[in-house]
Amino acid sequence: MTMKIMIGKDYADMSRKAAHVVSATVTLHPDCVLGLATGSTPIGMYQQLIKWYEAGDLSFETVQSVNLDEYVGLGAESDQSYRYFMNENLFNHININPTHTSVPNGLAADISAECERYDRHIDELGGVDLQVLGIGNNGHIGFNEPSEVFEKRTNHVHLAQKTIEANARFFTSIDEVPKSAVTMGIKSIMQAKAILLLASGEGKKEIMEAALFGPITPKVPASILQLHPNLIVAGDEAALSLVTKNHPELF
Ligand code: GLP
């Protein structure tokens, strides 16, 4: 098994453990390409990285970043866009060069051209060194929703009703949640040299068990991560409670 599972006793502990992995990557490879994620889960990890930057322990001066996804129809000015989220939760507080940060353009007039441009950009950077991922309740990664096939390339996806409902908590009403998004595909994610999958809270325990130990199927997109040669999982005890219960031999 090439999967490494780190268990934090709570969210703060898990976030620090995850931040150590990012910090090690940036320290060893100052010009690395970080694949970054949004959602509530990575926020604590970003806060820890900001603290280390402020303390002078970490520099992002030559780091490049590519984000997983963006809502179609939302731009940097919208406080629900993922570009806005990244600026607010990380980029504005560290010394990353803004021109080194990429998030798909949800306002592009031609979304399929934008998908192609995004893939070309990732290729030009030489791929992702460390890809940070959260996980949706239905097993989505980025916005790769449960499907009949694994979408390889950056693509325009219609969000699952479950995802729209889960993400409604960030909007004033469910009607404001965009119905579609641009997401990096499974190929770019799987070609990352290392993957750091984060999960927190009781609500993620079933999907974590299914993703890490269930059948590998596009119906649970995160299950493909079982095939990655360098998968690091950082979860808190609640999110990993079924994993630790069902696979005690690993701990
Ligand atoms: C969104 C994002 C995903 C994220 C997921 C989980 O749908 N597109 O990248 O992993 O939500 O979010 P949370 O971390 O808030 O549970």
Side-chain angles (χ1 to χ4, degrees), residues 71 82 136-140 142-146 158-171 174 177-178 181:
Y71 288 115
Y82 284 171
N137 295 324
N138 61 1
H140 72 231
F143 267 132
N144 292 282
E145 296 282 25
H158 292 277
L159 302 181
Q161 187 57 25
K162 217 172 163 186
T163 302
I164 293 175
E165 285 161 16
N167 290 359
R169 67 201 145 110
F170 301 113
F171 293 79
I174 193 163
V177 186

Side-chain angles (χ1 to χ4, degrees), residues 181-201:
V182 170
T183 184
M184 196 190 279
I186 295 294
K187 186 174 175 182
S188 307
I189 294 173
M190 285 297 284
Q191 285 181 338
K193 294 189 186 74
I195 292 181
L196 175 59
L197 172 66
L198 310 180
S200 167

Side-chain angles (χ1 to χ4, degrees), residues 31-204:
D31 57 355
C32 65
V33 179
L34 295 179
L36 298 176
T38 57
S40 52
T41 313
I43 292 177
M45 180 188 81
Y46 293 147
Q47 285 169 350
Q48 180 63 69
L49 293 172
I50 292 167
K51 279 192 198 134
W52 286 333
Y53 162 70
E54 287 170 346
D57 290 334
L58 200 53
S59 171
F60 294 84
E61 202 176 353
T62 51
V63 167
Q64 300 265 355
S65 76
V66 285
N67 258 79
L68 281 168
D69 47 12
E70 180 61 282
Y71 288 115
V72 167
L74 300 189
E77 306 305 315
S78 159
D79 59 5
Q80 304 297 349
S81 75
Y82 284 171
R83 162 53 80 179
Y84 185 95
F85 174 102
M86 289 310 301
N87 290 345
E88 285 292 302
N89 287 292
L90 185 65
F91 300 151
N92 288 350
H93 309 285
I94 58 173
N95 65 336
I96 197 164
N97 180 337
T99 66
H100 289 180
T101 68
S102 298
V103 179
N105 178 8
L107 293 180
D110 181 344
I111 291 290
S112 57
E114 172 60 10
C115 293
E116 282 169 28
R117 182 198 70 80
Y118 208 67
D119 279 335
R120 265 197 316 277
H121 178 60
I122 296 170
D123 288 348
E124 279 159 16
L125 290 174
V128 174
D129 290 298
L130 176 68
Q131 178 65 58
V132 175
L133 293 176
I135 185 168
N137 295 324
N138 61 1
H140 72 231
I141 46 179
F143 267 132
N144 292 282
E145 296 282 25
S147 157
E148 296 303 314
V149 291
F150 289 109
E151 283 295 340
K152 288 185 274 199
R153 311 299 305 202
T154 298
N155 62 100
H156 182 192
V157 278
H158 292 277
L159 302 181
Q161 187 57 25
K162 217 172 163 186
T163 302
I164 293 175
E165 285 161 16
N167 290 359
R169 67 201 145 110
F170 301 113
F171 293 79
T172 357
S173 88
I174 193 163
D175 301 330
E176 284 177 29
V177 186
K179 305 287 179 284
S180 74
V182 170
T183 184
M184 196 190 279
I186 295 294
K187 186 174 175 182
S188 307
I189 294 173
M190 285 297 284
Q191 285 181 338
K193 294 189 186 74
I195 292 181
L196 175 59
L197 172 66
L198 310 180
S200 167
E202 177 86 16
K204 296 282 170 71

